[in-house]
Amino acid sequence: MESSPLISIGLPVSLFIIMVGIGLTLTLRDFGQVTRNPRSIVVGTIAQILLMPLVAFAIAATLGLAPALAVGLVIIAACPGGTTSNLFVLLARGHIALSILLTVSASLITIVTLPFFTNYALQMYFGEAANISLPVGKTIAMLVVIVLLPVSIGMFIRTKAPAKAQKAESVVSLFGGLVLLLLIVALMWSSRERLPELLAQAGPAAFLLNLIGIAIGLGASRLAELSQRESLAIAVELGIKNGTIALMVALTLLESSEMSIPAVVYSVLMYGFGCILIAMGRRLVPVTQ
């Protein structure tokens, strides 16, 4: 699946603007509340880093996936949440500070865990491992440029002009919704010719992985007695994956187009699940909460 200019160029720029807008809605106190009671971070991180890959192995065994598709499913399951997950959480009225912290922590931890689970899957399904390592510097730079820097800019603006920052929240949500719609359309269009074939090969597995991931996020949050906003943030982080990393591992590091199929299909399906979470959040969470 080739990226269109809208995705490869327009998306990072749009995400930067959106993350500035998200920063306008945050204060240091929001992050302080999460770090003082880190239960939500622990639940979200364990579910994302450990449980999701284990679910992928179980789905692959249950559906009897071909070895390459099974490895590809494990790869996308072991990926962290994408930066677009923060946008979904914003639109769903979830806990944005928690979402940002989970995105950053999971992205850093998967530098180690993603190669581990990928090698384990290769050993299990093909009897051989590969020398895989993720670019540490590039990952950290991406987090700083696309997440931390714009959020910090937005928070700084809020401290200087709090009234204007609060008024900007609705504009950010509207712009974010538009970007999300354009992203979905562009993604569907770029894979339109192969989409039926890809869905037939990996559709059920990707669907189950997404559904079970969101269910784990909501269920584990409920067991941990987290708030609705925290539960939504964790569910979104588990459901919205960084498909770009999965494609890099499958296509660039492993040089296997077949292993990339689950990531492509998942990247299409996850936006549908994300929209359901947005609708659920806007129904359950009051605007003023």
Side-chain angles (χ1 to χ4, degrees):
M1 181 181 69
E2 296 182 358
S3 295
S4 69
L6 175 65
I7 295 177
S8 59
I9 300 174
L11 180 60
V13 174
S14 299
L15 282 176
F16 187 94
I17 296 171
I18 290 168
M19 294 306 289
V20 171
I22 288 176
L24 292 174
T25 70
L26 292 169
T27 64
L28 288 175
R29 186 174 61 182
D30 295 319
F31 289 99
Q33 289 173 346
V34 178
T35 54
R36 281 195 300 272
N37 184 19
R39 186 171 46 185
S40 56
I41 299 179
V42 173
V43 171
T45 301
I46 291 176
Q48 193 164 228
I49 299 301
L50 181 61
L51 296 185
M52 288 298 285
L54 296 179
V55 168
F57 280 112
I59 291 173
T62 302
L63 298 183
L65 291 183
L69 293 179
V71 173
L73 191 70
V74 172
I75 291 173
I76 185 64
C79 283
T83 49
T84 47
S85 64
N86 307 135
L87 171 57
F88 274 95
V89 173
L90 171 71
L91 296 176
R93 297 177 186 157
H95 200 298
I96 301 171
L98 173 60
S99 174
I100 292 172
L101 289 173
L102 286 174
T103 296
V104 172
S105 65
S107 297
L108 294 175
I109 295 171
T110 50
I111 292 172
V112 175
T113 57
L114 178 54
F116 170 79
F117 282 114
T118 301
N119 276 315
Y120 187 83
L122 287 169
Q123 191 74 48
M124 174 180 288
Y125 297 111
F126 289 99
E128 59 183 31
N131 184 21
I132 299 171
S133 62
L134 298 182
V136 178
K138 187 176 180 180
T139 300
I140 295 174
M142 180 272 294
L143 290 172
V144 171
V145 174
I146 301 296
V147 179
L148 299 180
L149 176 62
V151 167
S152 299
I153 292 173
M155 292 175 67
F156 176 78
I157 294 173
R158 174 164 180 159
T159 60
K160 298 298 182 182
K164 292 182 179 179
Q166 288 179 341
K167 289 181 181 179
E169 184 172 354
S170 59
V171 177
V172 173
S173 296
L174 181 63
F175 178 68
L178 179 61
V179 169
L180 193 57
L181 178 61
L182 291 175
L183 177 61
I184 294 171
V185 171
L187 187 62
M188 296 288 286
W189 180 258
S190 65
S191 57
R192 65 192 180 282
E193 294 179 357
R194 294 190 62 209
L195 196 56
E197 173 194 352
L198 296 175
L199 286 172
Q201 288 181 296
F207 179 89
L208 283 174
L209 180 64
N210 212 322
L211 180 64
I212 294 173
I214 290 173
I216 287 175
L218 295 174
S221 299
R222 186 176 181 84
L223 288 174
E225 298 181 343
L226 303 180
S227 68
Q228 286 182 330
R229 295 181 65 230
E230 290 171 322
S231 300
L232 279 168
I234 292 174
V236 170
E237 287 296 323
L238 265 63
I240 306 299
K241 293 287 188 180
N242 193 332
T244 303
I245 292 179
L247 291 174
M248 181 194 72
V249 172
L251 295 174
T252 305
L253 301 181
L254 297 177
E255 298 180 350
S256 172
S257 58
E258 193 175 356
M259 288 182 189
S260 73
I261 291 174
V264 174
V265 176
Y266 191 97
S267 296
V268 173
L269 295 179
M270 71 180 184
Y271 289 109
F273 280 102
C275 290
I276 293 173
L277 285 171
I278 289 173
M280 185 175 76
R282 297 185 80 83
R283 181 184 179 122
L284 295 176
V285 180
V287 179
T288 55
Q289 186 170 344

